[in-house]
Structure formats: structure tokens, C-alpha cells
Amino acid sequence: MQPRPFTDNLIFYDTEFSSFDPYTGEILSVGMVKMNGDTFYCELAFEGKYSDWVKEHLLHTLTAPKISREEAKKSIADFVGDTKPYMMAYANQYDAIYTYKLFGGPETPFFWLPLDFASVLFALGYDPEVYMKNDYTYLAKELGVSIREGHTHNALDDAKFLRDVYLALLNSKN
């Protein structure tokens, strides 16, 4: 019998942020997908400085109306609900840190321990970077996940893709 995940109380999560430096950067967008496929996306107002990478690769993709940090916190909490789901992100270090910054500390609507999909891949015998190989398509193709055209670093698209790969990976291990 193959092991099953501890719980299905997961939200697949991705953020985009103004810089890889968590001391100066801020969260710019949040994408979430529940196990049942329900989705959430928001973009936050930001007046600060952006890293050169963000200016080149990300800013042109942020086209939704911007909301305040307070509106984002409320909207995220409303979507997440009160079940304290695990936050699952590909490399959760940045997503978790920027979410903690948004909420003013580790008290968020999520369970206190974020889950790192890269570590899941490692535990299953994959090189964790296989998820990113060939612009995020190698592992997905291996698992039969449909590939969306033009990976744009959109937080919601990335969260959806993470869920698709996770579910395909679970099904491949059964």
C-alpha cells in the first residue's frame, strides 16, 4: 500500500514579490487553489522599489486592480476559512515569509507549518529542481499534466499548476 498524504486540508499557494530580499521586498500578488479547485487571486498596491528581475519579468503581468494590504489580508482570510489548512508552495521560504510580513507575523489563516513541494519531490526520489526543468514542463509532461502556454510568473497560474502536478504525482504513486 502506498502512503497517502496526512491530510487533504491544503491550499496550493504562490506569491510574487518586489524583491528576493525579504527585508526590503513586499508581496505583490497572491494566488491560491484549494483541493476542490476553488481559486483566489489578488494584486496588492505597492509604491516601493522593484528588483531589476521584477521590472523585467513580472511587472507587465500585474494587470488586475490593486487592493490595499488590509483588503488583501481580509480577502485571503475569507478565502482560506477557519480550518487552518496547510500552505503548499514549490519553495515555500519566500511565499511564507512574505505572507508573514503581510499579516504582521506568523499568525495567519494557515496552519503554522508551511509545506514545501520541493521537499516532497526530494522525498519521492526526484531532484527538486525537476519541477522547474525546461520552464516547468519536464515533470509535468512526465506525469501527463497539460501544459499551459507561456509561463508568466502569475501567482494564480503557478498555484493551479502546482496543484495539477501534485495531484498527478499522487495518482502516479498509487
Side-chain angles (χ1 to χ4, degrees):
M1 183 169 108
Q2 291 290 337
R4 297 292 306 155
F6 171 69
T7 182
D8 284 340
N9 191 19
L10 297 173
I11 289 186
F12 298 92
Y13 193 82
D14 190 66
T15 63
E16 302 297 340
F17 32 86
S18 63
S19 168
F20 278 106
D21 181 349
Y23 291 103
T24 61
E26 294 293 342
I27 198 166
L28 300 175
S29 64
V30 175
M32 296 185 281
V33 183
K34 293 181 178 178
M35 284 293 282
N36 67 6
D38 290 349
T39 63
F40 171 88
Y41 179 74
C42 72
E43 293 181 8
L44 288 76
F46 178 68
E47 299 294 327
K49 293 182 180 181
Y50 300 98
S51 73
D52 289 341
W53 187 93
V54 169
K55 289 177 191 174
E56 183 178 341
H57 298 282
L58 182 64
L59 284 183
H60 70 277
T61 70
L62 299 174
T63 59
K66 307 304 182 264
I67 62 175
S68 71
R69 294 173 64 80
E70 286 305 312
E71 290 172 299
K73 286 169 47 176
K74 181 179 180 339
S75 297
I76 291 167
D78 288 347
F79 178 79
V80 170
D82 60 4
T83 64
K84 288 289 195 182
Y86 286 87
M87 172 197 303
M88 170 77 78
Y90 169 58
N92 70 359
Q93 304 88 316
Y94 289 104
D95 298 306
I97 289 296
Y98 281 103
T99 301
Y100 297 157
K101 280 184 74 173
L102 175 64
F103 279 88
E107 291 299 319
T108 72
F110 297 97
F111 187 71
W112 71 271
L113 183 63
L115 301 179
D116 178 7
F117 188 64
S119 295
V120 171
L121 292 173
F122 183 88
L124 293 174
Y126 290 94
D127 174 346
E129 290 187 316
V130 73
Y131 183 74
M132 293 174 48
K133 189 175 178 184
N134 296 334
D135 197 22
Y136 294 87
T137 62
Y138 181 82
L139 180 60
K141 286 178 182 174
E142 182 181 302
L143 295 170
V145 172
S146 64
I147 307 299
R148 294 177 181 91
E149 287 281 327
H151 181 76
T152 61
H153 294 286
N154 173 278
L156 181 57
D157 288 345
D158 289 351
K160 287 178 180 178
F161 188 68
L162 179 60
R163 177 183 173 269
D164 292 349
V165 171
Y166 176 84
L167 293 175
L169 196 57
L170 280 184
N171 289 332
S172 75
K173 298 296 179 187
N174 289 329

